[in-house]
Amino acid sequence: MPEAVDAVEMQAALSRLRRTSGLPVVFGGLLSDARHARIAELNGAQTSALRGLVISAGSGLGGKAIALSRPCAVTDYPASRHISHEYDAAVAAEGLRSVVAAPVVVRRAVRGVLYGALRTPVTLGDRTFDAVVAAARDVEQSLAVRDSARQLLAAGRERVSDPDAVPGAWEDVREAHRDLRALVPKVVDPALRDELLEVCGRLASASGAKESTAREVRLAPREVDVVACVAAGATNAAAAERLGLRPETVKGYLRSAMRKLGAHTRLEAVVAARRAGLLP
C-alpha cells in the first residue's frame, strides 16, 4: 500500500509540473533506503533509459541534491564539471542537456528526488527552477499527510477496539475522529481516503449512541467536519483554519447542518449529531 500511494503522489506532482512549467521531460522517485533513490515515474520521456535507474547519494546531479539536501542544476549535463558522471549513458539516451534536481525532504529526511529537464543546453530561468522546487514541495506535503494519516489510522483503530477500557479515552476517540476527518480532503490516493473514512465511521459509531427512534440524518462530509470542530469548542475562524476553508464557508456548513439536525444552537447540533451516530 505505501508504495502504491507514493506512486500516486509522484505521478500527480510530475503531471502538474510538466503542465505548468512547459518542461518537456520530468521524472523522479523515492528513496529505498537512506542513500539510494530509484527513478520510477517519468512524464514526457521518449525512451525507457531512465526508468528503474538507481541514484546513489553524491552521484550525478540527483545524487548531489540528495547528499546536500538542496536543489541543484546544470546547464549542460554531459559537460558539467560540478557533478560526477555515472549516469551519462542513460541521460544521453534520453537526450537531456539542461537539468534541475530537487530533493523531497520530509521532517529533515530526504525521501526522494524530482527532476525537470530540457533537451537543449540553456540556462534554466528562476521561474522554471522554482516550479521544480514547488513540485518537490507538493510531494513533501503529500507524503507528510500520508504519514500523519497512517499514524492516526493506527491510533483510531486502537480507540475503536475498547474506548471504555481507559478513563477519559472518549476524548481521545473524538480527537482522533476530528484529526482523521480534517486529513481526508488532503489525501490524494482514493484507497487511503476510503480507509480514513471507514475508520472515521467506526469511530463515530463506537459509542453505540445512535438512537433507534431518531430520524435518519444525512450530513454532507464537510458539514460533519464542521460539527466535529464545533464539538471540540472551535470557533468558526478556528474551524476554518483547521479545515482550510473560509470562515463564511464554515458558517454556511454549520447553518445547513443545524437545520438538518433540527438544532437551534451549536451545542444542540453537537448533541444531535452524536445521537444520530455522526460523531463519537
Side-chain angles (χ1 to χ4, degrees):
M1 170 63 79
E3 291 79 6
V5 175
D6 293 344
V8 171
E9 314 296 9
M10 185 64 75
Q11 289 168 3
L14 291 176
S15 179
R16 287 192 299 271
L17 173 59
R18 192 176 180 211
R19 184 174 62 251
T20 58
S21 70
L23 286 166
V25 187
V26 293
F27 52 101
L30 299 185
L31 269 67
S32 55
D33 57 42
R35 294 188 56 80
H36 299 90
R38 180 177 177 274
I39 304 303
E41 305 300 329
L42 298 93
N43 193 313
Q46 296 177 348
T47 73
S48 60
L50 296 169
R51 187 176 299 279
L53 199 65
V54 176
I55 307 299
S56 299
S59 300
L61 182 67
K64 183 177 180 179
I66 293 170
L68 298 177
S69 192
R70 65 174 175 78
C72 301
V74 293
T75 299
D76 190 359
Y77 193 104
S80 176
R81 298 180 179 179
H82 302 292
I83 59 172
S84 60
H85 289 273
E86 292 88 346
Y87 312 111
D88 280 9
V91 172
E94 187 59 43
L96 305 182
R97 302 293 292 275
S98 183
V99 186
V100 56
V104 174
V105 184
V106 180
R107 297 184 181 91
R108 299 185 179 180
V110 178
R111 297 274 293 274
V113 61
L114 191 150
Y115 301 80
L118 296 169
R119 293 188 171 90
T120 52
V122 297
T123 302
L124 291 168
D126 290 344
R127 185 174 179 181
T128 301
F129 188 90
D130 291 345
V132 175
V133 172
R137 300 296 89 86
D138 287 345
V139 178
E140 291 170 4
Q141 184 177 12
S142 295
L143 291 179
V145 167
R146 199 279 311 275
D147 292 349
S148 296
R150 287 293 173 197
Q151 293 170 1
L152 286 170
L153 277 173
R157 290 193 176 100
E158 286 183 19
R159 300 292 184 266
V160 168
S161 61
D162 190 4
D164 291 315
V166 181
W170 274 110
E171 284 309 309
D172 292 339
V173 170
R174 288 162 182 161
E175 183 179 357
H177 180 265
R178 290 192 299 270
D179 290 344
L180 284 167
R181 289 208 63 92
L183 273 179
V184 169
K186 303 175 184 178
V187 173
V188 174
D189 181 65
L192 179 56
R193 192 163 55 243
D194 290 345
E195 194 174 352
L196 289 169
L197 288 171
E198 186 268 334
V199 173
C200 284
R202 291 173 62 194
L203 286 168
S205 59
S207 67
K210 185 171 183 178
E211 298 179 355
S212 59
T213 57
R215 65 188 179 89
E216 186 72 21
V217 179
R218 293 185 179 276
L219 297 186
R222 274 312 203 189
E223 292 170 349
V224 176
D225 295 341
V226 168
V227 176
C229 287
V230 170
T235 63
N236 288 353
E241 183 176 356
R242 180 177 184 82
L243 300 173
L245 301 172
R246 295 164 55 110
E248 296 81 3
T249 305
V250 167
K251 187 175 181 179
Y253 281 132
L254 180 57
R255 188 186 304 116
S256 175
M258 290 173 66
R259 183 178 66 253
K260 294 176 182 179
L261 291 164
H264 298 92
T265 67
R266 297 162 73 91
L267 178 58
E268 287 180 5
V270 171
V271 172
R274 285 179 177 157
R275 285 176 177 170
L278 297 170
L279 295 180

